[in-house]
Amino acid sequence: MTALLLSISFFTLVYGFVHQNRIAFGLRFDGRPITGLTQQEAMQLFEAKAQALIPEPAIILNDGDKSYPIPAASIGLKADTEKALKEAYGAGRTGNNLQCLFDALDCALLGRTIELTGTWDEDQLDAELKKTAADTDRPHVEGPLWIP
């Protein structure tokens, strides 16, 4: 009887989080639980972490004693916080009712970690690298060859 009551309480808890516009039970981000957060609260958490993760400048190329910094904004480097939010908020909400239930239970029982991924604009990166290559391009010098 106790097991039945605990099971019903557990299912009610899992169902409650999913259907009260809160992040499902069992989700973690950056080593801490994010269960029960609203979308807005989760997005604030993701954006704060993204600010801390992206270095400025994003890339530093060195040529001898000269450095060529490439700012994150110039290559469109950013953390995909929207993807993280979609993954976090979508847990237990994607698919038909049975799929939603199994996904919510999977999160609750096994846990799930939400990760931030980075994105950048390949064309912008290529343009910045070409600019740096043009600055570092020097004509070759023929070296002498001595054969004793």
Side-chain angles (χ1 to χ4, degrees):
M1 183 65 161
T2 303
L4 178 64
L5 286 175
L6 286 174
S7 296
I8 291 171
S9 297
F10 180 72
F11 286 117
T12 303
L13 179 67
V14 169
Y15 180 84
F17 276 114
V18 171
H19 292 283
Q20 290 182 2
N21 294 324
R22 303 240 176 221
I23 291 181
F25 192 77
L27 291 168
R28 299 181 71 75
F29 173 72
D30 196 29
R32 63 184 250 205
I34 57 172
T35 299
L37 295 180
T38 64
Q39 289 186 67
Q40 183 180 10
E41 292 166 338
M43 183 55 92
Q44 288 171 350
L45 185 66
F46 296 153
E47 287 175 348
K49 185 64 178 181
Q51 293 269 324
L53 283 177
I54 297 177
E56 197 55 55
I59 300 170
I60 300 174
L61 301 173
N62 294 309
D63 179 26
D65 61 347
K66 187 156 181 175
S67 293
Y68 297 89
I70 299 176
S74 69
I75 59 172
L77 178 64
K78 62 184 179 201
D80 197 348
T81 55
E82 291 292 330
K83 179 182 174 192
L85 181 63
K86 184 177 179 183
E87 183 182 346
Y89 193 72
R93 290 184 173 85
T94 307
N96 62 37
N97 287 338
L98 189 59
Q99 290 170 326
C100 289
L101 176 64
F102 282 127
D103 191 37
L105 287 174
D106 179 62
C107 289
L109 295 173
L110 302 176
R112 188 174 297 164
T113 300
I114 304 299
E115 300 286 340
L116 277 179
T117 56
T119 62
W120 59 90
D121 185 306
E122 289 286 337
D123 294 331
Q124 287 178 314
L125 177 59
D126 192 47
E128 286 292 327
L129 292 175
K130 284 180 180 175
K131 243 188 334 188
T132 303
D135 288 345
T136 59
D137 192 24
R138 294 182 285 269
H140 72 280
V141 176
E142 295 290 335
L145 176 64
W146 299 91
I147 301 177

